[in-house]
Amino acid sequence: MPDPPTSTTTPELTGVSVQPGGAVRGEIRPPGSKSLTNRALICAAMACGQSTLSGALRSEDTAVMIDSLRTCGVSINVSEAGRTIQVDASTRSTSADAAHELYIANSGTSIRFLTAALSAAGGNYDLSGVERMHQRPIADLVAALAEVQLGSIATQSPGGCPPVAIRSRGWSDKPIRVGGSVSSQYLSGLMMAAPVALQARRSHADPGHPVGDIQINVIGELVSRPYIEMTASVMRSFGASVDIQEIDLNAVDSVSLRVNVSGAGYQGIEYAIEPDASAASYFWAAAAITGGAVTVLGLTPDAMQGDVGFCRVLEQMGCRCVHDADSMTISGRASRGVDVDMNQISDTVQTLAVVALFADGPTRVRGVAHNRFKETDRIGDLACELRKLGATIDEHDDGLTIHPPGDGITPATLETYHDHRMAMSLSLAGLAAEGVRVLNPSCTGKTYPEFFADLETLTGRPHRWC
Ligand SMILES: O=C(O)C1=C[C@@H](OP(=O)(O)O)[C@@H](O)[C@H](O)C1
Ligand SMILES: C=C(OP(=O)(O)O)C(=O)O
């Protein structure tokens, strides 16, 4: 058996077994939010003046964003083990000749936010990633940009998937229309890009000529809604004005939401980033599976991240949730199955599915058809791995029903499909059952390279690397 890891990041070993051993009790502060770090990086990179981001996440998803912005000439200095990021956009350049080549790995936020922002800024850019990224749709965003952008924008894989080639001279002043049923990241990207387009328009407008707002209309359903409030909140912190209006879906042209963006453009600021709420779900789940008590520091029910709502689902399952001014604690076992719509907290579906294995009745998860387009098919592939553990799973178009195994978990070796959330969530089954081995644990590096080290600190028991 190889030696246990000596560094805090997950080693390149084939598998890990988290060890059972009673109730998990303790407190933990997860690393900075991926979603907030990548939003703040975009706004800071498009701002006047310098910004300092504190409490940031260092992981693959933020590294590809930083590398891409640096390729575009933005000066970025990372310190304190990645937690502090200084951004100076004054050096940013648009590429008028040879395209800037941007490699995005499998970061959905990075490719969607950069595509919109660079289209608004103008210039030539080619964005590509890993094989799975070239299967993840971006067609609705590209179609929205094709309507408003001067120049050309195109996807290069079947089904409207990356690579994306942008040849832009900025945006016209047409209102924008975008679909939101596959991902909310398209709307977030367009929102964050709008002040960039406004600034460009203002610099070309006749003196004294007013520059209007940018209007973005969402056509039909919008998934993952809390991320839109998060986007607006970060934009406002950097000086943009954002107005969000819900619209009766049947009233006008299938528009369900209208966003107006105005203001003088982004200003550099000091910005503090919350701990990651999706990452926190694994630690709350550790308490819920083992009947322990885990306090997550730095998050409250008022956090900008909708995923703190995962605690409400655990409460419905029988856990207790208490919070103070700077923490949220989950205690007690999640003993009841639930029927829950997780459209707004879809990154926590895999966590809930593993908690549900230990409940006394079935759990039905609804509203997450869009989970099939993430790092992997997070309905089909999740169902496949849960079945290996002895659960009976009904797969639905929009989610799944988990029937817990009657006679305890079956020992199994589980695939993780290069999906960080598959590795983090499935490993938790080992807290209450022998013989659960999770393959390719280093894929947690996408958002949480230190996950297994932090879990070990919380449980106080070493994992078995095998
Ligand atoms: O805007 C964001 O930061 C995110 C939005 C969600 O994606 P979808 O809108 O595609 O559901 C989420 O799954 C992702 O991890 C982060
Ligand atoms: C879906 C995710 O990421 P992204 O879409 O940003 O790649 C995630 O982190 O679970």
Side-chain angles (χ1 to χ4, degrees), residues 74 84 108 158 166 234 374 377:
V74 179
T84 301
I166 302 172
V234 177
K374 303 209 184 216
D377 171 355

Side-chain angles (χ1 to χ4, degrees), residues 32 37 41 51-59 62 66 70 75-87 271 273 450:
T37 302
L41 279 166
S51 298
T52 303
L53 318 182
S54 57
L57 173 67
R58 182 177 58 174
S59 74
T62 56
I66 290 170
R70 281 182 176 147
S75 164
I76 299 181
N77 183 40
V78 179
S79 57
E80 294 184 78
R83 284 189 298 277
T84 301
I85 308 177
Q86 281 165 312
V87 183
Y271 189 80
I273 290 165
E450 305 84 8

Side-chain angles (χ1 to χ4, degrees), residues 34 106 108-109 136 185 347 375 378 420-421 446:
K34 167 199 81 170
N106 193 10
T109 53
R136 295 183 66 187
Q185 295 174 3
D347 282 359
E375 282 78 338
R378 287 181 176 172
H420 54 138
R421 300 206 189 283
K446 184 172 188 286

Side-chain angles (χ1 to χ4, degrees), residues 255-322:
V255 174
S256 61
L257 194 84
R258 176 162 296 148
V259 181
N260 279 290
V261 180
S262 56
Y266 295 127
Q267 294 300 317
I269 55 167
E270 297 200 352
Y271 189 80
I273 290 165
E274 294 175 349
D276 194 289
S278 321
S281 74
Y282 308 113
F283 303 121
W284 287 318
I289 290 168
T290 62
V294 173
T295 298
V296 171
L297 303 171
L299 289 172
T300 70
D302 296 330
M304 265 182 273
Q305 301 162 79
D307 278 4
V308 292
F310 180 68
C311 289
R312 284 199 297 277
V313 183
L314 293 180
E315 274 183 306
Q316 288 168 37
M317 296 182 82
C319 297
R320 190 169 130 81
C321 176
V322 293

Side-chain angles (χ1 to χ4, degrees), residues 284-286 288-289 310 314 317 334 350-359 428:
W284 287 318
I289 290 168
F310 180 68
L314 293 180
M317 296 182 82
Q350 291 141 298
T351 327
L352 186 76
V354 173
V355 173
L357 292 174
F358 299 92
L428 299 176

Side-chain angles (χ1 to χ4, degrees), residues 75-118:
S75 164
I76 299 181
N77 183 40
V78 179
S79 57
E80 294 184 78
R83 284 189 298 277
T84 301
I85 308 177
Q86 281 165 312
V87 183
D88 179 357
S90 62
T91 49
R92 183 164 59 86
S93 59
T94 51
S95 168
D97 305 320
H100 283 318
E101 302 275 345
L102 308 180
Y103 174 71
I104 311 289
N106 193 10
S107 171
T109 53
S110 300
I111 200 160
R112 278 89 181 241
F113 299 170
L114 282 165
T115 293
L118 297 173

